[in-house]
Amino acid sequence: MTPAMNYQTSGKISTGIILCSLFLLMMCSKEKAGPFQDSKHFSDVFQQDKFYRLYLPDEYDNNAEQYPVIYFFHGWGGRYKSDDNANLAYDKIHELVDKYKVILVMWDGNVDENQPRPYNMGRHEDVQYEIQMKDYFIELTKHIDSTYRTKADKNHRGVIGFSMGGLMSYFLAGKYPDMIGAAVSMTGSPEFFIGYPNNHTLYPVRYAFQNLKEVQLRFHNSTADELTDLNNEVKAGAVWSNHPSFDYWQFVGGHVVDKPGETKVFESAMKFVVNAFEHPLSAPKRWSHYDLYPNFSLYGYHVESNKSKPGYIDLSKVSKNGLSISSLKWLPDGPPIDSLQIIVTTPAIYVPDVAYEILRYDKFNRTLISEKLTTNEQGSLQLRVDSRPQNIAVLEDGEDTPDLVCVDYQLGDNKRYLRTGKNKIIFTFLNRGALIKNPSSAFIQLKSADSSITFEPSRLEIKASRDGRLITSSGTIATFKKRPPKDGSPPWPIIGIRVTGNDFESDDELMLHAIFDVEHANATTIDDGKAVKDSTRAYGRGNGDHIVNNGDRVMAYYKGHRLRLYTDDPFVRSDKETLVDEVIPAKWPDGFTQTSIIEVASDCPNGHVIECLASYETKDFMPIKRNVHWLQVSFPVKKMRIKN
């Protein structure tokens, strides 16, 4: 009786509950059946809610499986749910997500609602915020991995970006190669300043592929894009750096992702990333990394510094056997950053509370110093260095394999640059592993993908120091003959070096600077404290007589063009060189032109002639084309008489 009475008396309520449930079910089904959902989370980095668009496979709610994740980064003026320039078919992208069984997250790179420029990067005036997208990416991935069923590891996380988002995809993949397994740049921006308002650094993608060698890459370029020619330079940078997995595709079209209503190009990017998930790269024996931030962590190594100026900390050739560390004011070959102190803490990969022998090769002084360092109770070492390039070996008992890295090379007459023609060259190596048991059976093999440089002989003998740690090669003749690039492609050759013995093999590579055989120009003008081009701005420092004097800081001009200068003259202070950047007009602010301010040593003798390789740039638009013009210039130095 009671149940029947309950049924009758609650009939209206039950009907209401049923109708309400049906309505909610219909609403949930509608949302679930939609192609995406727009969600938000509170961001500690931004101190506000941040939105993102999420695509899940249809089967997501019907199983307990975990899924790989792809993040998409929009371009200028875009947001997480729109990018008018990209022509993204948002309603159709879900079909690709379901086809490839991945989670797709479209993040919001917007920093300020009143600012269409995303990511806090660009020209100097565009870097306006302390907020850094490298911090937000870490935060967002943690949120996605903790909220959804993801495969939260490097080999199941990829990034795709368009335009400015394309640069961001490569920047973040290079910043976090331990987190990202694949990256696609779709007609990405080729270079921008990144960092903080009072300390930001130019990030030229063509020189940053060292950071990306553990990431599988795809690059989209078009035939009729404003950035087509600048991105040809990016492609040249990938080839120049010998990237192990770089897929390049050029399509007929402009600055877009797809034709309106299509997803063919977007699918090709997704397919590449998914294939990378299925075929990950092997972990490298050694890794290298540039970082423009003062503190960073990678693969368990932690770097702290007092860096407060633009530039990079370069951590390279890193393995348990040691590492090389230096700083660069600019990529790829800038001088060290002044007054820099760096602390590198290794992972806990050594025996705890044990004193290890540490060897340091100082490239400036060409000396090898030995010291003892004791690991902490976890098994980490703490290495302290300054801004000078140093190559460090951590020697372990029981090591059975030699590990040779090239740390230096010497040309005749103490030159640093190859000259066109024949150059005698000797290479120096630091052995960070076991001693070579039979040095007479070991040899050095030189090779180059750049046909402009050849070696005779290319197979060299090794000459070990008394302790077997510092090793030099027998001499070889490097014949260099190359015309300089007409655009901003990397000009210097990179050579491969393999050291082989009876029971070991060590591979390395080295960039060699060179002076091209180009015409000499006489009509140069000197800014030594008196403006030349800009009537209100002088970049040099001196007495303003337009003559190079000892102790002057000078900028040189040729027919009104500021010059980028390259020299190994002993009376030019290479450590004091600085660069000035400008954007030569071409409608879009892409492609930065950099020119030199060099300092002449105070003890430079009267009448000494400084010889320099020089270049200047002009620019075309549609597409933006950087035209690089090369010449040789010389500056006679007039010694200033010091009055008592």
Side-chain angles (χ1 to χ4, degrees):
M1 178 132 185
T2 304
M5 192 167 84
N6 284 345
Y7 176 81
Q8 290 175 355
T9 56
S10 62
K12 292 182 180 180
I13 298 175
S14 298
T15 301
I17 291 174
I18 292 170
L19 290 173
C20 184
S21 298
L22 287 171
F23 175 77
L24 290 173
L25 182 62
M26 289 173 62
M27 291 300 292
C28 289
S29 298
K30 183 177 180 181
E31 182 178 351
K32 184 177 178 181
F36 52 76
Q37 63 188 61
D38 291 336
S39 301
K40 66 180 180 179
H41 72 113
F42 183 78
S43 167
D44 288 326
V45 173
F46 281 86
Q47 285 297 297
Q48 65 184 37
D49 285 339
K50 288 292 289 182
F51 290 83
Y52 59 91
R53 177 160 286 183
L54 181 77
Y55 292 81
L56 298 172
D58 286 340
E59 64 181 34
Y60 181 85
D61 290 333
N62 300 322
N63 61 53
E65 290 187 18
Q66 295 175 311
Y67 294 87
V69 186
I70 299 175
Y71 293 83
F72 177 75
F73 308 150
H74 60 77
W76 185 93
R79 300 294 293 271
Y80 66 99
K81 60 182 179 179
S82 65
D83 192 331
D84 295 338
N85 296 318
N87 288 339
L88 291 178
Y90 289 92
D91 291 343
K92 294 183 179 181
I93 287 175
H94 173 263
E95 298 172 10
L96 304 179
V97 169
D98 196 50
K99 177 179 179 179
Y100 293 105
K101 309 303 179 191
V102 298
I103 295 173
L104 177 64
V105 180
M106 294 186 164
W107 82 341
D108 192 357
N110 180 266
V111 182
D112 187 325
E113 292 294 333
N114 298 317
Q115 171 61 265
R117 172 173 286 274
Y119 307 127
N120 192 29
M121 66 181 184
R123 293 171 292 182
H124 295 289
E125 61 270 24
D126 297 321
V127 184
Q128 301 178 10
Y129 310 98
E130 294 297 319
I131 292 170
Q132 300 296 297
M133 299 310 293
K134 55 104 176 174
D135 299 324
Y136 178 58
F137 181 73
I138 295 290
E139 183 180 54
L140 179 62
T141 56
K142 288 181 178 179
H143 166 73
I144 296 297
D145 290 339
S146 63
T147 308
Y148 305 96
R149 297 194 313 275
T150 67
K151 294 182 178 180
D153 61 81
K154 163 194 168 82
N155 291 329
H156 295 94
R157 186 182 294 117
V159 293
I160 300 173
F162 166 68
S163 193
M164 290 181 69
L167 188 154
M168 183 55 57
S169 72
Y170 273 17
F171 173 73
L172 289 175
K175 174 73 176 163
Y176 304 120
D178 54 344
M179 288 182 58
I180 297 172
V184 181
S185 174
M186 298 171 142
T187 62
S189 303
E191 56 186 356
F192 275 135
F193 285 91
I194 298 177
Y196 301 100
N198 64 347
N199 182 9
H200 46 271
T201 298
L202 183 63
Y203 188 84
V205 177
R206 67 190 185 279
Y207 288 125
F209 284 96
Q210 171 175 293
N211 282 15
L212 291 157
K213 287 197 172 182
E214 295 92 62
V215 182
Q216 297 189 62
L217 303 178
R218 181 174 169 89
F219 193 84
H220 291 188
N221 197 5
S222 73
T223 57
D225 183 357
E226 288 84 349
L227 302 178
T228 296
D229 281 310
L230 293 178
N231 279 332
N232 285 334
E233 298 176 358
V234 173
K235 175 193 175 185
V239 174
W240 174 74
S241 67
N242 300 310
H243 192 279
S245 179
F246 180 76
D247 186 49
Y248 177 82
W249 179 61
Q250 188 168 31
F251 63 94
V252 177
H255 194 66
V256 296
V257 171
D258 267 297
K259 294 179 181 179
E262 292 187 0
T263 59
K264 293 179 181 178
V265 176
F266 197 85
E267 179 173 8
S268 71
M270 285 186 63
K271 186 176 181 180
F272 173 84
V273 174
V274 171
N275 184 69
F277 293 157
E278 296 171 351
H279 303 92
L281 295 177
S282 301
K285 294 180 180 179
R286 304 174 187 151
W287 56 268
S288 298
H289 181 75
Y290 298 122
D291 210 289
L292 56 85
Y293 292 97
N295 306 318
F296 61 93
S297 298
L298 188 59
Y299 296 125
Y301 287 79
H302 302 285
V303 176
E304 298 176 88
S305 75
N306 64 341
K307 179 180 177 294
S308 60
K309 300 176 182 178
Y312 294 85
I313 295 174
D314 180 13
L315 197 61
S316 63
K317 304 178 183 180
V318 183
S319 75
K320 189 179 181 182
N321 293 334
L323 54 87
S324 299
I325 188 164
S326 62
S327 64
L328 302 166
K329 289 182 181 178
W330 55 81
L331 297 181
D333 56 356
I337 300 170
D338 299 332
S339 305
L340 190 62
Q341 298 295 320
I342 305 170
I343 300 173
V344 180
T345 303
T346 74
I349 53 178
Y350 305 103
V351 180
D353 300 314
V354 168
Y356 282 80
E357 183 180 5
I358 307 296
L359 301 180
R360 298 175 184 253
Y361 178 77
D362 188 323
K363 188 175 179 179
F364 279 179
N365 299 318
R366 291 179 175 167
T367 56
L368 187 64
I369 300 170
S370 174
E371 62 180 326
K372 291 285 187 178
L373 282 181
T374 301
T375 54
N376 62 16
E377 60 184 9
Q378 286 79 38
S380 296
L381 282 169
Q382 193 171 85
L383 305 167
R384 296 176 180 268
V385 299
D386 56 24
S387 60
R388 296 173 299 171
Q390 292 191 39
N391 298 271
I392 298 172
V394 180
L395 303 185
E396 283 197 280
D397 294 335
E399 181 69 38
D400 58 1
T401 305
D403 178 28
L404 276 71
V405 294
C406 186
V407 294
D408 206 352
Y409 68 91
Q410 294 86 45
L411 298 171
D413 301 324
N414 290 319
K415 299 294 186 183
R416 292 189 298 116
Y417 285 73
L418 297 172
R419 265 60 177 180
T420 297
K422 298 183 182 299
N423 304 261
K424 185 176 181 181
I425 184 168
I426 295 173
F427 300 95
T428 302
F429 300 83
L430 177 62
N431 183 3
R432 312 187 305 188
L435 296 178
I436 300 175
K437 296 177 182 178
N438 187 4
S440 62
S441 66
F443 64 91
I444 300 161
Q445 185 69 45
L446 306 175
K447 59 181 179 179
S448 175
D450 189 335
S451 61
S452 69
I453 184 168
T454 58
F455 299 95
E456 184 58 42
S458 59
R459 176 170 162 148
L460 311 178
E461 298 175 354
I462 69 169
K463 300 178 180 180
S465 61
R466 183 174 300 175
D467 61 6
R469 292 298 173 188
L470 206 57
I471 292 172
T472 59
S473 72
S474 57
T476 185
I477 300 298
T479 301
F480 179 73
K481 50 179 181 179
K482 181 178 182 177
R483 300 301 300 172
K486 295 182 179 180
D487 62 4
S489 298
W492 320 125
I494 290 180
I495 63 169
I497 304 174
R498 172 169 291 177
V499 185
T500 302
N502 288 338
D503 54 354
F504 76 96
E505 195 171 76
S506 289
D507 287 302
D508 205 352
E509 60 184 23
L510 183 67
M511 179 176 66
L512 298 172
H513 297 81
I515 299 291
F516 302 114
D517 186 12
V518 291
E519 292 186 6
H520 193 279
N522 295 315
T524 55
T525 309
I526 300 299
D527 169 1
D528 61 338
K530 185 175 182 181
V532 173
K533 183 178 179 180
D534 303 325
S535 59
T536 59
R537 178 72 185 272
Y539 292 94
R541 185 192 68 207
N543 62 7
D545 62 358
H546 299 309
I547 296 173
V548 179
N549 303 121
N550 58 309
D552 280 358
R553 287 180 57 79
V554 300
M555 175 181 279
Y557 289 76
Y558 175 72
K559 295 184 178 180
H561 301 285
R562 297 172 182 153
L563 297 180
R564 180 77 183 268
L565 302 174
Y566 306 91
T567 183
D568 50 16
D569 189 291
F571 293 106
V572 173
R573 297 281 307 275
S574 60
D575 60 317
K576 296 298 182 182
E577 182 182 358
T578 57
L579 296 183
V580 172
D581 60 85
E582 62 180 324
V583 179
I584 297 175
K587 188 177 179 179
W588 281 18
D590 286 272
F592 292 88
T593 297
Q594 295 182 299
T595 48
S596 302
I597 302 174
I598 61 173
E599 183 169 320
V600 181
S602 59
D603 60 348
C604 183
N606 187 53
H608 177 75
V609 178
I610 297 172
E611 302 281 354
C612 297
L613 175 68
S615 67
Y616 68 90
E617 294 181 4
T618 57
K619 193 181 286 184
D620 301 327
F621 181 67
M622 203 53 200
I624 301 170
K625 185 175 183 179
R626 190 190 335 239
N627 306 297
V628 181
H629 310 268
W630 296 85
L631 58 154
Q632 291 189 43
V633 295
S634 58
F635 313 116
V637 178
K638 182 178 180 181
K639 189 174 181 64
M640 293 291 291
R641 182 175 297 173
I642 300 175
K643 297 180 180 180
N644 295 326

